[in-house]
Amino acid sequence: VQGGRTLLCEMERAHYPGGVHKLQYMPQEPLLLSTGTQSNSIVMHIFDNPDHSGRILKQRKGHTSPPSCIRYLHPGAGAGGGILVNAADGTDAAACAILSSGSEDRTLRVFSTVRSVLDKEYSQGKGLEKRARELGMSDKAELLLPPVTAMASSEARSRDWGDLVTIHRDHAFAYVWSSRRGAQSGPVLRQDDWNISAMKKSPPVSAHATSITISSCGNFALVGTKGGTIYKYNVQSGNTRGSYPPEES
């Protein structure tokens, strides 16, 4: 209490970056709508706690900068199945999913062309916002992977292990994600002698990934590099499965 006034609640970082653009209460409801100046989001807050504090009830959020890598999650093949067939008869809203990334915000997002409630950001780990605060960082984006430059998916083994693989700007490793979990879920694809720790020597620039694909069976990922070598990995285990051309031992 200061000067006879009482602060009932405070919502920090309701919109980041850029701050709050507009606030609007819903008539006769404990609901507050807010939009951001740069966050590309609209948030509905509800004030239903005994201490009058607010919480997020629902939100719509997109990239905070333009994405450069967009594709359907599982495109399907002609009349054989996949998203194109499901989208035609409307039987599976979850299948009508567009992956979007490559933005400077370093996020990987999925947008449903049928039901907006299925839109979400893929998780890159638990507790990143808390960890960023503890390290004195302005935003969790500093802890995220570099922007995505290419991605590939296969639904053949999506019930068994990760079905999406991404590569990133100026980065040698490839990462496995699960569309079912909506998160990074699986091994980091790298050569055995490449250090994963940022505190140790990084792989050479010639090893930086430039292209990615997954085999139709969903078992293998092939990563092309700046140096011209193509590396083959097992998607489930992350184990190396050779290279083209074969590397000298």
Side-chain angles (χ1 to χ4, degrees), residues 200-217:
K200 298 181 179 180
K201 185 178 179 180
S202 302
V205 174
S206 61
H208 288 178
T210 56
S211 58
I212 179 72
T213 190
I214 296 182
S215 61
S216 58
C217 63

Side-chain angles (χ1 to χ4, degrees), residues 6-246:
T6 302
L7 177 65
L8 294 179
C9 70
E10 182 177 0
M11 295 180 287
E12 296 182 349
R13 302 173 70 89
H15 290 275
Y16 185 88
V20 179
H21 173 65
K22 187 172 183 179
L23 298 172
Q24 178 68 54
Y25 256 113
M26 300 295 289
Q28 309 301 319
E29 298 286 347
L31 301 175
L32 174 69
L33 289 175
S34 67
T35 59
T37 57
Q38 299 179 30
S39 63
N40 192 24
S41 64
I42 178 169
V43 181
M44 178 178 284
H45 313 266
I46 184 170
F47 298 85
D48 58 353
N49 294 319
D51 61 354
H52 306 288
S53 62
R55 61 182 177 87
I56 295 177
L57 180 63
K58 61 179 69 175
Q59 62 181 326
R60 294 292 306 278
K61 191 172 184 179
H63 292 289
T64 57
S65 60
S68 61
C69 190
I70 299 174
R71 57 161 289 154
Y72 273 108
L73 175 58
H74 296 308
I83 184 172
L84 299 184
V85 172
N86 288 330
D89 62 14
T91 57
D92 189 354
C96 304
I98 294 177
L99 291 169
S100 176
S101 193
S103 169
E104 292 298 329
D105 64 13
R106 301 188 179 191
T107 61
L108 173 61
R109 297 181 178 275
V110 60
F111 298 95
S112 171
T113 58
V114 178
R115 297 179 59 195
S116 61
V117 70
L118 298 176
D119 297 355
K120 61 184 174 182
E121 175 186 342
Y122 277 22
S123 171
Q124 297 188 32
K126 295 181 179 179
L128 290 181
E129 292 185 355
K130 180 180 179 181
R131 184 181 175 191
R133 289 195 299 269
E134 292 173 348
L135 295 174
M137 297 178 177
S138 60
D139 186 36
K140 73 170 185 178
E142 298 181 52
L143 298 175
L144 301 182
L145 294 170
V148 172
T149 55
M151 49 189 166
S153 63
S154 172
E155 59 183 332
R157 303 302 296 269
S158 60
R159 295 181 179 274
D160 302 314
W161 51 73
D163 54 347
L164 172 68
V165 180
T166 60
I167 57 174
H168 302 257
R169 182 192 301 169
D170 299 328
H171 208 61
F173 307 148
Y175 295 83
V176 180
W177 309 71
S178 169
S179 63
R180 293 172 63 83
R181 294 181 56 188
Q184 186 184 332
S185 176
V188 176
L189 306 183
R190 64 186 179 93
Q191 296 297 295
D192 295 335
D193 58 342
W194 291 355
N195 292 315
I196 195 170
S197 173
M199 303 299 292
K200 298 181 179 180
K201 185 178 179 180
S202 302
V205 174
S206 61
H208 288 178
T210 56
S211 58
I212 179 72
T213 190
I214 296 182
S215 61
S216 58
C217 63
N219 291 305
F220 303 104
L222 289 93
V223 181
T225 66
K226 280 187 175 181
T229 302
I230 300 174
Y231 294 107
K232 182 179 180 181
Y233 301 95
N234 181 281
V235 175
Q236 180 186 19
S237 65
N239 292 335
T240 58
R241 289 294 182 261
S243 63
Y244 310 95

